[in-house]
Amino acid sequence: MPDQIEIYPLTQKDAQEVVALWNKTLTAHPMTIDRFNSLFFGEINAEPKLKLTAFIAKHHELVGFVIGYQRNLPAPGLGLEPELGYLTAIGVDPKVQRNAIGSLLLEKLLNELGNIEILLCGRTGSAPAAVFPGVDLENYLGAVEFFEQHGFAKLATANSMSREITDIVKLDLPAEVTFATNLDLPKFENFIATAFPGDWAEVAVKKAATNPAELGVVMVNNQYAGFAVWN
């Protein structure tokens, strides 16, 4: 079948079909068309957020996709990171899996991204269109072998933030821990960019400026030490 597969660059007109296939293949992480377009085709001040490197595979119909990218806009504290690329998702229709379609797509993506480091997830706070924190070992364990066969190596174990909070663990710290009430925005921006370089810094600063009611900032000994955002 590989010689019957045609591969094309992913464009926004393909989004509806890709989302439908996404929801057939990556069933533990359903996608919506609005979120898909926001993640991969979103813009800031009319500039695309991502330098998208993504492809679809067709055999009479859509049978697979792979989505990778690099930054198109600099991240706070990180810049453009031209030495890094990100592979966010890959999926093949279950009806035609085990026919090397995933390998064709992945090899096309790797060739296009070139000789750079490619991460299956971002380092903390640094992936601008992350969907997974890494390979989901609970739901897609076979993906580990697939990526290893194509030269990827394990760097670390990622932890998903999609977890129920059932208990609050209280820590005894030799310090005064309080919640900030009146943010010094320039000081907070400097703290965030230094302590959490990447896209979480941008999220936190935007919350502080536009909707501080959905931002919690913790201080230790009167110094900014951490934050949480919610919707």
Side-chain angles (χ1 to χ4, degrees):
M1 179 176 285
D3 58 347
Q4 302 172 31
I5 298 297
E6 297 179 309
I7 295 179
Y8 303 95
L10 169 66
T11 66
Q12 195 163 7
K13 69 180 178 60
D14 304 308
Q16 197 76 51
E17 279 189 288
V18 172
V19 168
L21 183 55
W22 179 303
N23 291 329
K24 285 175 63 177
T25 58
L26 304 174
T27 54
H29 299 81
M31 180 61 67
T32 66
I33 186 65
D34 288 342
R35 186 180 180 216
F36 186 90
N37 283 328
S38 175
L39 279 169
F40 304 120
F41 296 102
E43 297 181 343
I44 297 178
N45 297 326
E47 283 289 326
K49 291 188 295 184
L50 306 178
K51 182 182 176 183
L52 196 65
T53 304
F55 300 95
I56 58 173
K58 288 194 171 185
H59 177 59
H60 306 303
E61 60 182 358
L62 183 70
V63 293
F65 63 88
V66 64
I67 301 172
Y69 58 85
Q70 289 182 278
R71 291 187 182 280
N72 194 52
L73 299 175
L78 294 175
L80 285 173
E81 298 184 298
E83 73 284 359
L84 286 182
Y86 300 94
L87 197 168
T88 288
I90 184 169
V92 174
D93 192 320
K95 296 183 301 185
V96 291
Q97 288 179 2
R98 304 290 178 181
N99 281 289
I101 297 171
S103 294
L104 286 174
L105 285 164
L106 182 57
E107 289 165 8
K108 176 69 173 176
L109 178 111
L110 296 179
N111 288 335
E112 289 294 320
L113 285 174
N115 188 27
I116 60 173
E117 183 179 9
I118 299 172
L119 300 177
L120 298 181
C121 64
R123 298 187 178 102
T124 300
S126 67
V131 178
F132 311 97
V135 176
D136 184 337
L137 300 180
E138 294 180 11
N139 295 289
Y140 315 118
L141 183 58
V144 174
E145 181 181 357
F146 172 77
F147 286 118
E148 288 178 343
Q149 288 173 348
H150 288 85
F152 285 81
K154 178 180 176 180
L155 296 179
T157 299
N159 294 308
S160 172
M161 292 184 290
S162 302
R163 290 291 184 269
E164 294 293 330
I165 300 176
T166 56
D167 296 294
I168 296 176
V169 179
K170 295 183 179 180
L171 302 177
D172 293 325
L173 298 175
E176 181 184 1
V177 181
T178 59
F179 279 100
T181 52
N182 295 306
L183 281 182
D184 180 331
L185 194 55
K187 183 178 178 181
F188 178 67
E189 289 180 359
N190 183 64
F191 158 71
I192 287 292
T194 302
F196 302 98
D199 296 275
W200 279 115
E202 185 176 338
V203 170
V205 169
K206 185 175 180 181
K207 281 285 188 185
T210 62
N211 195 357
E214 294 181 351
L215 171 71
V217 179
V218 69
M219 305 187 76
V220 175
N221 293 336
N222 208 35
Q223 298 294 319
Y224 294 128
F227 73 96
V229 298
W230 57 87
N231 295 315

